[in-house]
Amino acid sequence: MQKTLRLGLTGGIGSGKSTVAQMFVARGAALIDADQIARAVTGPGGAAMAAIAEAFGPEYVAPDGAMDRERMRRLAFSDPTARARLEAIVHPCVLHENERRARRAMEQGSALILFDVPLLVESGHWERRLDGVLVVDCKVETQIERVMLRNGLARATVEAIIAAQATREARRGAADVVIYNDDGVTLADLQRQVAQTLQCLGL
């Protein structure tokens, strides 16, 4: 029986990571989205909510029972210890759900499970759970231009988001596979890189 490959997918904001993820899914990969799971566990009735309310107080719980994301974002941005406390609550919940979904994908016969983790390099929680790391890479200036255009954010805001993430060099240093997605790279070019990656993985 073929071993299921567990590949971490990451990339800076605006790198095109989500586009690449969907190309892998179209070719049969199972996708597990860590951000989507994090939103679920901090949503109404989410697995992390009781501990968040206890650790931070009821004012950090919105009327619908979800985490008040804007209030928590302001706190976490201004207070690194608060961010660490939040991560200590949320990360175990996310990892537990990741593994539950991974087991289900394996039972369904998936040859490749793609873990979409935006902060994979930063987290330090992932290395032992993965067979390899795939990074979607582009120049920082390309990231800035794409996110300004897509989200309507000011340049300084985008630069602050990028500064809070791992550097391009750190991500490339952690990569087993790099998919390059800068200006001039077409969707057809990306498809070819995805196909080549799967071929190299024997899939």
Side-chain angles (χ1 to χ4, degrees), residues 158-169:
V158 181
E159 287 174 341
I161 294 168
I162 291 171
Q165 297 183 342
T167 64
R168 182 185 182 194
E169 292 72 27

Side-chain angles (χ1 to χ4, degrees), residues 1-201:
M1 186 171 143
Q2 185 181 16
K3 179 182 183 291
T4 301
L5 273 174
R6 298 163 62 98
L7 203 61
L9 171 67
T10 195
I13 188 170
S15 64
K17 177 174 59 65
S18 299
T19 300
V20 169
Q22 290 310 313
M23 289 178 178
F24 276 97
V25 170
R27 291 171 176 268
L31 178 65
I32 300 177
D33 184 335
D35 257 6
Q36 185 268 324
I37 293 172
R39 287 192 296 272
V41 302
T42 56
M49 285 312 301
I52 287 170
E54 185 176 344
F56 294 95
E59 65 270 25
Y60 285 89
V61 181
D64 66 354
M67 183 177 72
D68 186 329
R69 295 181 194 287
E70 189 52 47
R71 185 187 286 259
M72 187 63 80
R73 192 177 291 115
R74 288 197 302 268
L75 176 68
F77 197 75
S78 63
D79 180 358
T81 61
R83 185 186 310 164
R85 277 164 43 225
L86 178 64
E87 289 173 351
I89 294 168
V90 173
H91 281 171
C93 295
V94 171
L95 289 172
H96 176 78
E97 179 62 14
N98 263 298
E99 288 307 314
R100 189 187 72 79
R101 294 188 187 191
R103 282 194 302 273
R104 188 171 65 192
M106 289 170 69
E107 287 163 6
Q108 292 170 346
S110 295
L112 173 63
I113 302 174
L114 206 58
F115 294 87
D116 181 344
V117 188
L119 302 180
L120 186 152
V121 175
E122 295 88 332
S123 73
H125 294 282
W126 283 93
E127 293 86 344
R128 64 186 179 278
R129 296 180 170 86
L130 299 170
D131 296 311
V133 173
L134 189 157
V135 169
V136 183
D137 179 57
C138 66
K139 296 193 288 285
V140 172
E141 186 57 35
T142 304
Q143 289 180 260
I144 294 168
E145 290 171 1
R146 284 176 180 164
V147 178
M148 286 173 65
L149 185 65
R150 181 185 72 193
N151 296 20
L153 297 175
R155 183 182 185 90
T157 303
V158 181
E159 287 174 341
I161 294 168
I162 291 171
Q165 297 183 342
T167 64
R168 182 185 182 194
E169 292 72 27
R171 276 193 298 270
R172 288 177 66 95
D176 296 290
V177 181
V178 175
I179 288 182
Y180 191 61
N181 183 31
D182 218 308
D183 283 349
V185 175
T186 65
L187 288 175
D189 293 332
L190 276 184
Q191 291 278 16
R192 276 192 290 275
Q193 291 185 73
V194 169
Q196 288 165 359
T197 299
L198 289 169
Q199 189 174 18
C200 288
L201 294 170

